Amino acid sequence: MSTSGIVYRPRRLRATPGMRRLVAETRLHPADLVLPLFVKEGLTEPVPLASMPGQVQHTEESLVDAVRAARDAGLGGVMLFGIPAVKDGSGSQADAPDGILQRALRASRAALDEGLAPGEATPVLMADTCLDEFTDHGHCGVLTSTGAVDNDATLIRYASMAVAQAKAGADVVSPSGMMDGQVAMIRDALDDAGFADTSILAYSAKYASAFYGPFREAVDSELTGDRKTYQMDPANGREGLREADLDLAEGADMVMVKPAGTYLDVLRAVADRSDVPVVAYQVSGEYAMIEAAGANGWIDRDRAVLESVTGIKRAGADVVLTYWALEIAGWVR
Ligand code: PBG
């Protein structure tokens, strides 16, 4: 023991920026970040989202510009959400070959691959595989005559949607509707259609969260009511592990926990038992809260952005979906 009585001085490793950089356990890298993007059919100008300052509903043209920016920034991927001009009960535009999401995927595929040198990486093209952006009732599935979400009838729609997305050039389809059996159903459909190489990112532990609020504006959601019969109860951690195990058994290539910030315990637990990459989605409400507090001068926005995403990685995420992906990539390059 030293004369001062202090056994060890951890502050030594915090003394300089260089020392802090050397010993940092968690680093943000553009390749670990995925940018979610919204594209809406029929727009002539991008539409700013009031509840997500800095984010927009893209036109087909501005979407491609954003995809190019993601490529230039070295992002790991982009996740596309489509908003059709017309919604209906079965979400028929979700798997229409010329539906907005399929058109956007084809245009993005071309932009991502244009002039690619041999061996050069380009962001992975991901698509949301869910009906809520396409249905007039706003639910993630089709409904029975009594208005309940029909699990097995919805699976048929998801399978068709996944194949349409793969045909349009998606590298990854991402079932986010929390229907039982969705991963196995989609895997079968993709394999049967000749898309054995298309990956599935399963939204495994997806909670019925208030933090999706701004997203509902982003996709012009028509939902009244809630998603509590299919999305998980925020009270349940163990059940999230069970959901992840089921998705792994069904052939998920990656598993996701969503939202991120209020489920870091679930994220850590999934990361500890998963032998596939673990993804976390920092959702619209997490984005909106930091933007709002930052705009009011209540917190240091930029530091809060970095701290929030660093915390998600530290908790076990290999990959983070965040609306700040481009901005963070610019900072950490
Ligand atoms: C479902 C889906 C949602 C989000 C991503 N995929 C909405 C929901 O489940 O209600 C939310 C993402 C966010 O809030 O940023 N297609």
Side-chain angles (χ1 to χ4, degrees), residues 98-295:
D98 63 343
I100 181 63
L101 187 47
Q102 277 66 254
R103 287 208 306 270
L105 285 168
R106 281 193 293 271
S108 299
R109 179 79 276 153
L112 290 170
D113 292 348
E114 191 185 321
L116 206 60
E120 184 188 348
T122 195
V124 170
L125 182 58
M126 307 180 174
D128 187 57
T129 311
C130 193
L131 287 177
D132 65 308
E133 298 96 313
F134 298 92
T135 52
D136 54 10
H137 46 72
H139 275 295
C140 295
V142 294
L143 306 182
T144 65
S145 53
T146 58
V149 174
D150 186 336
N151 193 90
D152 297 15
T154 299
L155 294 184
I156 296 167
R157 300 288 300 125
Y158 286 179
S160 173
M161 198 178 174
V163 171
Q165 294 173 344
K167 277 186 186 151
D171 298 305
V172 176
V173 299
S174 316
S176 63
M178 291 300 282
M179 296 301 128
D180 295 335
Q182 61 187 10
V183 172
M185 183 81 174
I186 287 172
R187 183 72 273 156
D188 265 1
L190 288 172
D191 291 353
D192 286 350
F195 293 104
D197 292 334
T198 303
S199 299
I200 301 176
L201 164 55
Y203 284 62
S204 298
K206 177 172 176 181
Y207 289 87
S209 174
F211 294 103
Y212 307 148
F215 176 93
R216 305 266 161 94
E217 178 196 350
V219 301
D220 300 343
S221 174
E222 313 265 352
L223 183 71
T224 54
D226 60 54
R227 306 199 196 287
K228 290 179 184 170
T229 69
Y230 43 106
Q231 296 180 347
M232 289 178 52
D233 186 335
N236 296 352
R238 193 194 294 136
E239 190 187 344
L241 303 184
R242 172 128 182 83
E243 285 280 5
D245 287 348
L246 283 167
D247 286 349
L248 290 169
E250 290 180 29
D253 298 287
M254 297 177 260
V255 291
M256 186 196 288
V257 175
K258 176 188 176 192
T262 39
Y263 300 91
L264 295 179
D265 56 332
V266 180
L267 179 56
R268 166 48 58 197
V270 168
D272 284 345
R273 69 207 264 148
S274 172
D275 45 18
V276 303
V278 175
V279 181
Y281 197 144
Q282 183 180 49
V283 301
S284 56
E286 300 178 74
Y287 176 89
M289 285 194 299
I290 290 177
E291 289 290 342

